[in-house]
Amino acid sequence: MSFAKPEIWEVSRLVEYEQNTRIHPKFQIIKNSIQEFGFMNPIIVKEDGEIIAGHGRLQAVRELGIDRVPVLIADHLSEDQVKAYRIADNQIAQLGRWDDDLLKVEINDLANVE
């Protein structure tokens, strides 16, 4: 099994993929999440800095004025794997379902926190 290499990069090193198929609205929950919890999900990049996954996170950190972010360098992927991963990464969350009963419990627990 191969692993991506974690590093901290200057935001200026990141290169947006010109054919990114995911549309990110101006208002992003990602930005609010970063402000509340910190930067929890690294941007996945190729060795040359081109983003594989994380365009929305990049947009959020730019708006927040963050200069450095964690990245995972996925240098073990072929070009075809990079393209497939870009699509898969955006689909994974959409294909999942919520357990509505457990979700209500979790939200109620949060609502009762003082």
Side-chain angles (χ1 to χ4, degrees), residues 20-24 52-54 57 82-98:
N20 183 32
T21 58
R22 187 71 168 178
I23 298 169
H24 296 281
I52 297 171
R57 293 186 292 279
V82 166
K83 287 182 182 233
Y85 186 83
R86 282 186 174 119
I87 295 167
D89 182 65
N90 283 311
Q91 285 297 314
I92 291 169
Q94 292 178 3
L95 297 175
R97 295 183 315 115
W98 291 100

Side-chain angles (χ1 to χ4, degrees), residues 36-53:
E36 178 71 21
F37 308 115
F39 204 96
M40 302 291 285
N41 193 2
I43 296 173
I44 302 170
V45 298
K46 295 173 21 177
E47 284 185 294
D48 64 1
E50 185 178 81
I51 295 174
I52 297 171

Side-chain angles (χ1 to χ4, degrees), residues 9-59:
W9 279 15
E10 297 289 327
V11 169
S12 61
R13 282 183 69 182
L14 301 172
V15 178
E16 294 182 57
Y17 177 57
E18 292 181 12
Q19 294 176 300
N20 183 32
T21 58
R22 187 71 168 178
I23 298 169
H24 296 281
K26 182 69 175 159
F27 173 77
Q28 284 272 340
I29 293 176
I30 297 169
K31 184 175 161 183
N32 295 340
S33 176
I34 291 170
Q35 288 175 307
E36 178 71 21
F37 308 115
F39 204 96
M40 302 291 285
N41 193 2
I43 296 173
I44 302 170
V45 298
K46 295 173 21 177
E47 284 185 294
D48 64 1
E50 185 178 81
I51 295 174
I52 297 171
H55 288 84
R57 293 186 292 279
L58 175 61
Q59 178 182 335

